Amino acid sequence: MSAPTCDLILHHYNESPYAEKIRVLLGHKGLRWRSVKVPRIAPKPDLVALTGGYRKVPVLQIGADVYCDTTLIAEVLQARHPQPGTASEAGRFNDLVANWVDVNLFGKAVGFTFGSLADHLPDELLADRAALRGGPLERDALKRAVPLARQELETQLSWVETGLQGDAPFVNGAQPGNGDFTLYSTLWFLRNGRFDFSGLPCISAWMERMGAFGHGQREDFNAEGALNVAQAAAPAALPDNSVSPDPAGVALGQVVQVTPEQLGHGTSVLGELMAINARRLTLRLHSERCGDVHIHFPRTGYRVRALA
C-alpha cells in the first residue's frame, strides 16, 4: 500500500545495482517515491551536501533524516511500510544469503561485468571506482580476470540454482526477503554484464518473478528540491536504545568519523554521534544548504572512530 504522501526521496542513478535493490523493494511494497538522479562519478556536490561526504548510492531521504546503505534502507522501509512484509521466515537463511552476496558474490559479479565491458567503460568511471577502492583498475587486468570470475560465478550460482529448485518461489520462502532483493540486484548487474544464465532455469524464473515487482510509483524530483525539503524539516526523534560507550570505544556527543569498510576511500562522514547500538548509528550534521540533518548508517560494515 502506498504512502499517503510522497515523503520518500531516493538519491540514485539508473545503472546502480545497489539502487536497483531498493527500486524493486519499493515496487514490491507498491510505494510512491521521488527520484533524484545522482551523477555516476564524482563530484557529487548536491549529494555530499546532504550526507556530509558519503557519496555512494542509493541514499534514502525522509525529511531531514538521511539513510545510507541498502541494508538500513530496507529495514527503514519495512518498519514504515510493513505490508507486504520482507521479514525472514522461520527456517530460511534470508539474512545469511544477503550477507554472503554483499561480501562475496557481489565482488565477483563486479569483476566479471567490468572485465566483460572493459573496452566500453569510460576512463572517468574507471578512475572514480579506482579512487573508491584505493587501488588501480586497469583494462587489461580486468579482462584477464574474466575467465576465473566466470568459473567462480558458475560454481556459486549452481548453489543458488539448487536452492531454488524447491516449492518456495523465493529465497525467503513464500514471500521475498532481504536475501532475495540483495541477490536479485547483483544478478541484475551480472546480466547487464552479459553473463549467460541459459543453463540456470530456476534462477532465470526467479529473476522474472523479482523483476515483475517493478519500481513502484516513481516521480521525478531534483537535488535542490530535496535539499529544500531537508532544510524545511527537523530530524525525527531518536529511540532511547543507545549503547554508550560502544564496544569500539565511541560515546554519544563525540565527533566521530564513519567510513564504509568496502569501497570507502574518500567517502567518510564526520559528525556528532547522536545514537549508536549494535544495529545502527546516527550522526548530526549542519550545513547552510540543508540545515540540521541526521545521517543514519548500519553498524555492520562501517568503521567508526572518535575524533574529539
Side-chain angles (χ1 to χ4, degrees), residues 296-307:
H296 307 269
F297 297 93
R299 189 67 182 86
T300 300
Y302 288 80
R303 296 188 299 272
V304 54
R305 66 184 184 92
L307 298 184

Side-chain angles (χ1 to χ4, degrees), residues 224-283:
E224 195 62 37
L227 291 169
N228 290 340
V229 167
Q231 192 167 61
L238 294 167
D240 185 19
N241 60 358
S242 288
V243 176
S244 177
D246 176 78
V250 297
L252 297 180
Q254 288 183 310
V255 176
V256 302
Q257 180 185 65
V258 177
T259 305
E261 291 179 353
Q262 294 184 327
L263 301 176
H265 289 266
T267 189
S268 298
V269 180
L270 277 66
E272 180 185 356
L273 186 63
M274 302 297 292
I276 189 167
N277 56 37
R279 296 195 63 86
R280 65 170 70 178
L281 62 93
T282 301
L283 305 185

